[in-house]
Structure formats: structure tokens, C-alpha cells
């Protein structure tokens, strides 16, 4: 479905990104054109565009944006919009990039979302420790106030640095003054979220797409992508490629094409991680064939999720990498739901035992049972995500896990970790 | 009617599995594993009793 016409080609979201200091409003309008005024595009118009373009959430879950907007609009009470830029997936860099390099696109999209649901207030949540993000957003908001661009009020919210911080209900809890812990549904945030008001939470990339759809139309948007998965998408490429980083691709792009754009694969691969820490491990052979759409990835029990793609080099140990992430995720549980607290700890502990070569005969059977038993049994998807990550690792790297179980750590176990996560916050100790 | 647990409220008292063993069993840590299918009519009264008996009121009866 690609076309060569310059006005539909890539980059779209990343057009005008220069990496040269603060983003300027004038330059933004020069590149993308002005945002359609309410007289040209009203609430129904915005929702209609979201629906016809088949815009889906880009935070990982891929929920249709128009359905959420309608639910918030139909709920009782004055709605609030939350632009979710927390991006707690450690390898992902796309949301931070948008907030730095093209904040006005995100803010335009947030203002349009507010218009769609009838909100007068937008809360922009970003990863708290990132003061660079805050500076970029404050600068952008100052320019917009001076130019009187917006009729909505923007507030910045510094979210906690936790894996679950961007989970919709956990973000809601923080904004409401609580800890970053998911809550049970119902109620949905669309009915009762921030300050008990109907709340539209959308990922910042989703909002940036909305800003472009409002300017160029639903037809323009879906000229890229597949019939079911329209438009372009941001992905973060990491690992054994020449130029790791954030790339904008058409949905359905073959993975070899993306890797070529990212400077090519730099050596033999052990495997691929698709979709980040809630994602799937796939055999390295798929690097030369798989297409980056959820439909194509589903045949391999994978999905694009938040768009993280890691090429794990053969010099890294897939067992060691998997175990470290499993331990990290198990420590990031919100400690609320029994099956998650016990299940994720048991999975991480048993995996660690296998990696160290001290393990019981039942270890693999235990892991198989736990990875299926914890799925869907928490208030959020942390247990499901960890279980899937581990189950796909056990399948893809079966020989390596068997080898570690019998012989302990391999030569590659000591290699510098590729899959990273924030340093654990030191816990307070009594003197 | 279906039965669901609020996993945040649940503290693994296990009464539900005693009162509705046809539909609920416990995992190795004592937390309920619930059959997600609609509850047959003849078990509905037992399901209500299990929900009422839960010390943390963590069971929800959802009507389709």
C-alpha cells in the first residue's frame, strides 16, 4: 500500500525533527501547518477522524482511540484528558523523543483530544526524573501561551520512575495523590479517573498522530500501513545494529528493511525481542522475514506492543538476559495481588536457579505451570507480561536453558547486559 | 451469571473454594482459580453464598 507521493511519505511524526535545541512553535507550524480551528473541526469531527483513520493507542495495548473518546464523552461529569508520556518500558525511547523534539505535535493532539471529549484541562504526565523533558515541555507551553494557541489548560505531572508508572490506572492513582499502583476495573478511567471525573488517557504518540490526522485527514493517514493497521508507527531499535535508536516506519514494514535503515545487523544473532519486556522472544531466523504488523506477528505469538525491537547478538547469553529482566519485573510488582506477588517471585527465583545450574528436576514443569497460571490474575497485566516474556524465552532458547540447567553459567553469561532497566532505588536503612 | 475476583482485595482465605468447589479451586498459594464460564443455574445460590462469605468481599457476581 505504499505510495511514492511525497505528501504521504515518511517521516510524518518525525518530520522537522532536527535535534538542534528546543523545539520552536514557529518551525512546528511551518512544517506541519496550523492546527484546525474549532469552527473547522468540532468534537464530532475529531472523533470521526479518529474512527475513520482507525487510529489505535500506541502505548502497547492498541485500543481504538475513537471508542475511548466516545466512552469519555458519554460519561457523566466534566472530562479530563491525560497525555501519557511516562514510557516506563526501559528500552523504549519514542515517547521521550516526541516530548523533546516535537512537543507541539503532542500538545496539539492533546488539545484536539480535549476538544473531542469536551475537556478544559489536559494533564501531561512524563517520567518524573527526566528534568530535560520537563524543560522542553515548559518551553513549548510558554510559546503556546504567548501565541494564544490553546483554549485548554495544560498541567505537567512528574510520574514516579516505576515500571508500572504508565499503566493507566496506576497513573490515575498517582495523579490523585496515591502510590503508582494499578486499581481494579470497574470503574474504568473513562467513567471515573482523575478527581473522579471521566478521564481520557492516551499515549503521547497516539496524540501526535491525531494532530496530523486533524490536518491531513483520515484518508491521508491510512495511505500508509495495512488495511487493518493503518498509518506509521514509532519503534525503538536496540542491540546488534549499526545505529540503534527511534525510527518511524509504516505498519507492516518487513523487519529486514527496518534493520537495514538502522545500519544493518552487525553480526550473528541469538534471537529477537519484539514488543519490549511484555513482549516475545523470537528465533533469530525471523529477522530476515517477519513483517512488523500485529497480524503478521500474531502467527509467531508476538505483537508490536510499545514498538521495542531488540536484536540480541550471539555474543550475549539469552538465558542471562531473560533472567535479569524476569527478576526486574518481579521486583516491580505493586505487591497488591497474591497470584502476581507469589507467581512472579517463583518464576524469577526458579529461572535464576536454572541459570546458575542449581535446579530441581521439576523446575521446567513448575515454570510451565506458573507461566500459564498467573496470566490474567492480577489487576494489571504485569503477571501476564512477565509470563509471556518467560514462556517465549523458554521456547525460543530451549537448548540454552537446558545447557544452563545442567552445566551452570556459560561463557557469554558475563557479557555486559544488553536489556537494561533503571537502577533500583536504594531503600532506606536504619542506622 | 459469572463470578470474578478482585485480586487486590483477595487475601487467600479460601472460603470460596470450600463453598463452591465445582467452580473455584485454589492455586498453590491459596488464591482462587475461577472457572470463567457462566455459572449453571443450579449453582447460582452457592455462588451467592460464596460471595457473601468472603471475609474481604473480593468476589463479584457479574450478570451478563
Amino acid at each position: 500500500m505504499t505510495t511514492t507521493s511525497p505528501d504521504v511519505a515518511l517521516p510524518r511524526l518525525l518530520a522537522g525533527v532536527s535535534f538542534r535545541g528546543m523545539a520552536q512553535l514557529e518551525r512546528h507550524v511551518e512544517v506541519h501547518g496550523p492546527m484546525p480551528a474549532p469552527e473547522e473541526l468540532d468534537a464530532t469531527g475529531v472523533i470521526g477522524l479518529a474512527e475513520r483513520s482507525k487510529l489505535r493507542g500506541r502505548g502497547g495495548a492498541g485500543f481504538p482511540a475513537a471508542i475511548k473518546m466516545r466512552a469519555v464523552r458519554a460519561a457523566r461529569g466534566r472530562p479530563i484528558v491525560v497525555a501519557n508520556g511516562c514510557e516506563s518500558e526501559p528500552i523504549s525511547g519514542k515517547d521521550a523523543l516526541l516530548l523533546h523534539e516535537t512537543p507541539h505535535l503532542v500538545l496539539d493532539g492533546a488539545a484536539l483530544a480535549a476538544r473531542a471529549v469536551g475537556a478544559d484541562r489536559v494533564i501531561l504526565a512524563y517520567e518524573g526524573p527526566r528534568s530535560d523533558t520537563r524543560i522542553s515541555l515548559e518551553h513549548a507551553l510558554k510559546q503556546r501561551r504567548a501565541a494564544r494557541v490553546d483554549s485548554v489548560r495544560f498541567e505537567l505531572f512528574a510520574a514516579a520512575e516505576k515500571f508500572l508508572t504508565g499503566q493507566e490506572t496506576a497513573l490515575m492513582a498517582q495523579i490523585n495523590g496515591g502510590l503508582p499502583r494499578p486499581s481494579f476495573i470497574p470503574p474504568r478511567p473513562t467513567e471515573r479517573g482523575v478527581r473522579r471525573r471521566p478521564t481520557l488517557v492516551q499515549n503521547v504518540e497516539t496524540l501526535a498522530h491525531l494532530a496530523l490526522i486533524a490536518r491531513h485527514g483520515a484518508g491521508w493517514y491510512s495511505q500508509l500501513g495495512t488495511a487493518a493497521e493503518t498509518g506509521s508507527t514509532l519503534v525503538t531499535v536496540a542491540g546488534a545494529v549499526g545505529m540503534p535508536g527511534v525510527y518511524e516506519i509504516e505498519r507492516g514494514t518487513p523487519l529486514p528493511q527496518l534493520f537495514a535503515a538502522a545500519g544493518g545487523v552487525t553480526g550473528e544473532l541469538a534471537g529477537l525481542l519484539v514488543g519490549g519486556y511484555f513482549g516475545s522472544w523470537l528465533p533469530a531466523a525471523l529477522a530476515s522475514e517477519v513483517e512488523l504488523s500485529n497480524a503478521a506477528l500474531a502467527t509467531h505469538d508476538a505483537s508490536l506492543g510499545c514498538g521495542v525491537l531488540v536484536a540480541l547478538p550471539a555474543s550475549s547469553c539469552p538465558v542471562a538476559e531473560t533472567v535479569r529482566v524476569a527478576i526486574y519485573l518481579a521486583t516491580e510488582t505493586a505487591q497488591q495481588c497474591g497470584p502476581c506477588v507469589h507467581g512472579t517471585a517463583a518464576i524469577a527465583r526458579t529461572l535464576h536457579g536454572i541459570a546458575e545450574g542449581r535446579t530441581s528436576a521439576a523446575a521446567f514443569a513448575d515454570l510451565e505451570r506458573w507461566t500459564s497460571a498467573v496470566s490474567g490474575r492480577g489487576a494489571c497485566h504485569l503477571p501476564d507480561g512477565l509470563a509471556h516474556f518467560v514462556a517465549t524465552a523458554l521456547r525460543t532458547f530451549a537448548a540454552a536453558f537446558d545447557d544452563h540447567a545442567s552445566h551452570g553459567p556459560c561463557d557469554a553469561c558475563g557479557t555486559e547486559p544488553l536489556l537494561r532497566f533503571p537502577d533500583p532505588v536504594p531503600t532506606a536503612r536504619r542506622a | 451469571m459469572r463470578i470474578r475476583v478482585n485480586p487486590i482485595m483477595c487475601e487467600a482465605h479460601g472460603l470460596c473454594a470450600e463453598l463452591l468447589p465445582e467452580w473455584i479451586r485454589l492455586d498453590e498459594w491459596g488464591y482462587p482459580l475461577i472457572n470463567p464460564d457462566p455459572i449453571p443455574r443450579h449453582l447460582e445460590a452457592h455462588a451467592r453464598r460464596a460471595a457473601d462469605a468472603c471475609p474481604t468481599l473480593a468476589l463479584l457476581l457479574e450478570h451478563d
Side-chain angles (χ1 to χ4, degrees), chain A residues 393-414:
Chain A
L394 290 168
R395 196 188 314 153
T396 304
F397 307 120
F401 277 97
D402 281 339
D403 180 69
H404 284 69
S406 322
H407 307 295
C410 67
D411 293 341
C413 278

Side-chain angles (χ1 to χ4, degrees), chain A residues 118-138:
Chain A
D120 58 357
R121 185 174 294 210
V122 172
I123 298 173
L124 222 155
Y126 65 99
E127 242 181 297
R130 300 204 64 140
S131 52
D132 48 348
T133 303
R134 183 169 193 108
I135 291 166
S136 153
L137 288 171
E138 277 174 348

Side-chain angles (χ1 to χ4, degrees), chain A residues 91-138:
Chain A
I91 294 180
S92 183
K94 69 179 183 78
D95 292 343
L97 180 92
L98 284 176
L99 294 177
H100 274 248
E101 296 302 323
T102 179
H104 289 293
L105 213 48
V106 174
L107 295 167
D108 283 356
L112 287 160
R115 191 186 293 176
V117 300
D120 58 357
R121 185 174 294 210
V122 172
I123 298 173
L124 222 155
Y126 65 99
E127 242 181 297
R130 300 204 64 140
S131 52
D132 48 348
T133 303
R134 183 169 193 108
I135 291 166
S136 153
L137 288 171
E138 277 174 348

Side-chain angles (χ1 to χ4, degrees), chain A residues 184-185 338 342 369-370 377, chain B residues 4 6 27-28 31-33:
Chain A
F184 185 69
I185 286 175
H342 295 280
R369 189 176 71 257
W370 291 327
R377 293 185 57 223
Chain B
R4 230 180 122 198
N6 177 337
D27 68 14
E28 57 206 281
Y31 294 89
L33 290 156

Side-chain angles (χ1 to χ4, degrees), chain A residues 111-405:
Chain A
L112 287 160
R115 191 186 293 176
V117 300
D120 58 357
R121 185 174 294 210
V122 172
I123 298 173
L124 222 155
Y126 65 99
E127 242 181 297
R130 300 204 64 140
S131 52
D132 48 348
T133 303
R134 183 169 193 108
I135 291 166
S136 153
L137 288 171
E138 277 174 348
H139 181 78
L141 288 173
K142 201 171 143 195
Q143 292 179 324
R144 293 171 83 92
R145 275 194 300 273
R148 298 178 185 278
V149 176
D150 300 303
S151 54
V152 290
R153 226 171 79 203
F154 284 97
E155 283 170 39
L156 297 182
F157 181 80
E161 189 184 34
K162 299 288 286 175
F163 187 77
L164 287 176
T165 203
Q167 196 274 352
E168 213 170 80
T169 57
L171 180 55
M172 214 85 331
Q174 288 175 80
I175 296 172
N176 285 334
L179 292 169
R181 287 181 177 161
S183 60
F184 185 69
I185 286 175
R188 292 189 179 283
T190 52
E191 298 154 23
R192 199 162 81 211
V194 173
R195 291 156 212 157
R196 302 179 70 82
R197 286 152 63 167
T199 306
L200 178 76
V201 185
Q202 299 266 238
N203 168 266
V204 291
E205 184 193 334
T206 319
L207 295 170
H209 283 294
L210 184 64
L212 292 181
I213 294 167
R215 288 168 163 91
H216 308 304
W220 166 85
Y221 183 74
S222 44
Q223 272 175 294
L224 287 185
T226 68
E229 295 169 54
T230 50
S232 64
T233 212
L234 295 181
V235 293
T236 309
V237 184
V241 293
M243 293 181 290
V246 175
Y247 292 85
E248 183 174 12
I249 59 163
E250 175 176 13
R251 303 280 295 192
T253 297
L255 183 54
Q257 195 179 316
L258 171 61
F259 278 163
V265 175
T266 52
E268 204 191 323
L269 298 184
L272 298 167
L273 178 63
V274 178
Y277 293 177
F278 277 10
S280 315
W281 283 108
L282 300 178
L286 288 178
S288 58
E289 49 180 274
V290 77
E291 283 180 10
L292 298 172
S293 70
N294 283 336
L297 288 168
T299 62
H300 305 287
D301 194 21
S303 70
L304 257 182
C306 60
V308 165
L309 294 153
V310 183
L312 187 73
S315 55
S316 292
C317 173
V319 174
E321 295 287 351
T322 300
V323 171
R324 277 191 292 264
V325 171
I327 293 172
Y328 163 69
L329 289 176
T331 59
E332 289 292 315
T333 163
Q335 303 282 349
Q336 297 189 111
C337 307
C340 176
V341 172
H342 295 280
T344 58
I347 290 170
R349 193 167 53 236
T350 306
L351 271 181
H352 188 235
I354 291 173
E356 302 267 294
R358 42 167 186 81
T359 181
S360 72
F364 287 102
D366 284 344
L367 284 174
E368 200 181 318
R369 189 176 71 257
W370 291 327
T371 51
S372 72
V374 300
S375 275
R377 293 185 57 223
C380 74
H381 293 302
L382 186 119
D384 323 22
L386 168 62
H388 186 76
F389 179 84
V390 169
T392 56
L394 290 168
R395 196 188 314 153
T396 304
F397 307 120
F401 277 97
D402 281 339
D403 180 69
H404 284 69

